[in-house]
Amino acid sequence: MKYTNQQLQELGLATLPAHIVIIMDGNGRWAKGRSLPRAAGHKAGVERLRELIRFSSDAGIAALTLYAFSSENWVRPEPEVRVLCNLLVEYFNKEIAELHENQVRIRAIGDLNAFPQRVQKAVRAAEEKTAQNAGLKLNIALNYGAQAELLRAAQACSARAIETGRLPEKADFEAQLYTADLPEVDLMIRTSGEQRLSNFLLYQLAYAELYFTPCFWPDFTKEEYIKALRDYNARGRRFGGL
Ligand code: FPP
């Protein structure tokens, strides 16, 4: 069910960010606090996603980008990497029908080639099925690192400059980023109390509002999400002006 403007106002959400990015952190600590294996934390983390994606879609948020697997995550023990890969495959296979029904457009950002074939296949199938959807643009960062993204964009621009003899403009550079057709990021949320960007969308976060919460990701309910969005509503954004 889509929210009306009045309903959003009643929730204290008169202004919605066009593009929200989330660093979903704290699955391991959530599990540890319950004497559960880390895998249980990741599983609970995936459970959280459904509700938040649904709310984002119903509230009319244009784009949501989630950090699911960073280019630094490969150093984790192999069984944990395997659990994360399995969860990804399961998620894309299981959720796709409902996401598609809700007009969500799914895209992966990052270098998918490093993943096992079964992950690549599940992600590509979800992208293809939802490519024409006009609703929420849902981006999942997989084997993503901002420094690698910026280097890749710089290399593409250099090659083009050698070819054409013309230096790239801002728009040419931005066209090489994974986020090329997405609105500017308005809000970055990171759970679990850590206060850093961990190589996530370093260029795109230039003017974003930053929201840090001590809540572990599996505890980040819709109510917590609305709290973050209300906090965003209360901020005065000046983009360098007065
Ligand atoms: C951080 O918790 C979380 C991750 C590295 C993975 C996030 C992944 C999911 C929520 C599931 C997969 C995603 C999709 C889209 C299906 P952590 O393990 O770093 O926690 P810790 O810092 O407490 O150890």
Side-chain angles (χ1 to χ4, degrees), residues 101-169:
E101 211 168 284
N102 288 309
Q103 282 294 305
V104 175
R105 189 200 75 180
I106 299 175
R107 280 224 188 129
I109 65 167
D111 182 7
L112 266 189
N113 294 319
F115 283 98
Q117 279 299 324
R118 63 199 163 93
V119 176
Q120 296 187 36
K121 261 172 78 179
V123 175
R124 294 297 176 222
E127 285 183 331
E128 269 167 41
K129 191 174 168 79
T130 63
Q132 304 306 324
N133 288 349
L136 174 72
K137 293 177 167 66
L138 176 65
N139 311 290
I140 317 264
L142 294 168
N143 190 27
Y144 172 88
Q147 291 175 345
E149 178 190 32
L150 293 171
L151 179 63
R152 181 176 162 269
Q155 286 169 339
C157 285
S158 310
R160 187 104 187 92
I162 292 167
E163 217 176 275
T164 61
R166 192 179 62 83
L167 285 174
E169 305 284 336

Side-chain angles (χ1 to χ4, degrees), residues 24-29 38 42 46 49 68 73 76 88 91:
M24 310 180 286
D25 197 6
N27 294 347
R29 278 162 286 167
R38 292 179 57 82
H42 293 313
V46 178
L49 278 177
N73 284 152
R76 294 192 177 200
L88 282 168
Y91 178 79

Side-chain angles (χ1 to χ4, degrees), residues 182-196:
L182 299 173
E184 294 225 351
V185 178
D186 291 318
L187 173 66
M188 191 286 306
I189 297 172
R190 182 171 189 154
T191 58
S192 94
E194 307 293 349
Q195 301 196 8
R196 52 178 179 269

Side-chain angles (χ1 to χ4, degrees), residues 15-20 60-63 184-187 228-229 232-233 237:
T15 314
L16 282 176
H19 187 175
I20 301 174
I61 284 160
E184 294 225 351
V185 178
D186 291 318
L187 173 66
L229 296 175
Y232 172 84
N233 265 257
R237 302 185 79 201

